[in-house]
Amino acid sequence: MPNAGDFVEQLRDALDDAQDTLVFFELPDVLRVLREGAFWGIYYEHCSYFSETSLRRIFERCDFEVLDSRLEYDDQYIMLVAKPCARTSSTISDPHEELAAAAHYLQH
């Protein structure tokens, strides 16, 4: 899957107007990997890595309402629950603060 955003958009398209359908995603938190140097948590099967904020941003951009997102299992994994919402042109929050935090972990 070369583009995770395209995948989430295809998922949203497949759900069409089924606004009562919930989706659940569980993914490793990349900020934990960077913060703790937990590079054993990087697998060849995972072609994309996300922070909680970046994962939320993709779902919101693809017209999902994020009902819950949190870190679980000692903050190793992101749990996200979302449902389709009305199609809109959503404003994406500025990712600079989060990118600065990720860069900090790479420098230390």
Side-chain angles (χ1 to χ4, degrees), residues 3-50:
N3 187 321
D6 286 348
F7 172 77
V8 175
E9 185 62 38
Q10 289 174 9
L11 176 62
R12 177 62 183 90
D13 289 344
L15 293 172
D16 196 23
D17 290 327
Q19 293 185 4
D20 58 342
T21 302
L22 299 179
V23 296
F24 172 77
F25 280 72
E26 176 182 335
L27 300 142
D29 177 34
V30 72
L31 291 181
R32 178 202 159 259
V33 170
L34 295 173
R35 180 178 58 249
E36 297 179 12
F39 296 106
W40 57 85
I42 295 179
Y43 304 100
Y44 70 91
E45 296 98 340
H46 297 168
C47 47
S48 299
Y49 287 84
F50 302 93

Side-chain angles (χ1 to χ4, degrees), residues 55-56 59-60 64-69 80-83:
L55 188 62
R56 285 183 70 97
F59 275 84
E60 289 168 352
F64 279 91
E65 176 186 354
V66 176
L67 302 173
D68 186 26
S69 95
L80 182 135
V81 178
K83 69 177 187 173

